[in-house]
Amino acid sequence: MARIAGSSGPRTEEAIRRAGLSLITTHGYAAMSLRQLAAMVGIQQGSLYNYFRNKQEFLFDLIRSHMQDLHAALEQALLPEGSAAERLTRFVEFHVAYHIERSQEVFICYSELRSLEPENLTAVVAMRRDYERRLSDILEAGRESGEFRLADVRMATLAILAMLSGICNWYRPDGRLSKEAVSRTFTGMVLALAQGGADPAALPQPANLNRLAARRQ
């Protein structure tokens, strides 16, 4: 979020972000009011405009910043070389860990795409496709090398991402499975799919993930 001249500083900006994430996750973007947001942070509503010009800009910035962080973290996590299976394993481990640690941002990125104005939606969709492409490239390389047996890389990409990203809807830190256990299980499932032991059509599809997100609001 670009701070506008006259605002009170980075700590207030971070507090606004945290409060906004909490309110949108709990109530949804449409139901969240700027009055609620200001009250949660402990500032006057007019002070919010030192940080963003309107509610739509605030939502777009939250989602765009999440996508930028996701891309940067993935760049650091991926193996620059190695077998396709090794690179796919690293991708799954990263994706699961990130989506557990940043579950609010992930949830909003899926559930509130519908709330973005057309220009903002276009920008976010482009960033999502860039992320999908990183996984597609790994799967395609594995198919070309003979490590993976995939009839449709695009379908496999979408199915894998839908399955992995759904973790933000059900994972709880105090649940019966640790983050490491979930990561190991998902890694095994994804490798089985890529190596020909599973049908991509049997995995959760993006539309199902969106329905889960809608029910959580």
Side-chain angles (χ1 to χ4, degrees):
M1 188 186 317
R3 185 162 65 92
I4 299 170
S7 64
S8 59
R11 283 191 294 182
T12 300
E13 179 178 331
E14 182 58 29
I16 292 170
R17 284 180 178 277
R18 289 197 305 269
L21 287 170
S22 177
L23 287 170
I24 296 173
T25 301
T26 302
H27 304 292
Y29 170 77
M32 183 199 77
S33 70
L34 295 184
R35 184 184 299 275
Q36 283 178 305
L37 180 59
M40 193 168 181
V41 178
I43 60 177
Q44 295 295 316
Q45 182 175 335
S47 298
L48 293 173
Y49 299 109
N50 290 322
Y51 298 89
F52 55 87
R53 292 173 176 80
N54 52 53
K55 187 177 170 184
Q56 172 67 199
E57 183 178 275
F58 179 62
L59 175 66
F60 175 55
D61 189 79
L62 285 179
I63 295 177
R64 178 180 56 186
S65 295
H66 157 70
M67 292 303 301
Q68 289 171 338
D69 289 349
L70 179 65
H71 279 277
L74 177 65
E75 193 65 35
Q76 292 295 317
L78 282 185
L79 294 173
E81 54 187 24
S83 70
E86 290 169 338
R87 294 170 62 210
L88 183 57
T89 295
R90 180 62 65 88
F91 181 94
V92 173
E93 290 172 345
F94 162 77
H95 191 93
V96 169
Y98 188 96
H99 282 58
I100 287 175
E101 294 162 7
R102 303 283 293 272
S103 61
Q104 285 187 326
E105 291 98 321
V106 172
F107 174 72
I108 289 171
C109 191
Y110 279 100
S111 66
E112 296 298 347
L113 282 182
R114 62 194 176 191
S115 300
L116 291 172
E117 294 176 353
E119 183 177 355
N120 293 337
L121 177 61
T122 297
V124 171
V125 168
M127 297 176 78
R128 285 167 60 113
R129 286 178 177 163
D130 285 343
Y131 186 82
E132 292 169 4
R133 194 172 297 115
R134 302 303 296 273
L135 174 57
S136 293
D137 288 346
I138 295 172
L139 296 177
E140 186 61 48
R143 183 167 71 169
E144 290 178 359
S145 70
E147 288 183 69
F148 300 155
R149 290 185 292 163
L150 292 167
D152 192 319
V153 168
R154 177 63 177 163
M155 178 183 286
T157 298
L158 295 177
I160 290 169
L161 289 174
M163 177 179 68
L164 297 181
S165 300
I167 194 171
C168 69
N169 293 292
W170 58 264
Y171 180 80
R172 297 292 178 268
D174 58 352
R176 68 183 182 87
L177 294 174
S178 67
K179 178 173 68 175
E180 292 74 21
V182 171
S183 183
R184 286 194 300 271
T185 300
F186 272 144
T187 298
M189 294 170 68
V190 171
L191 287 173
L193 183 156
Q195 293 165 350
D199 179 3
L203 297 180
Q205 300 299 302
N208 295 331
L209 180 60
N210 290 337
R211 283 196 289 272
L212 283 171
R215 285 200 293 268
R216 181 171 170 177
Q217 291 190 41

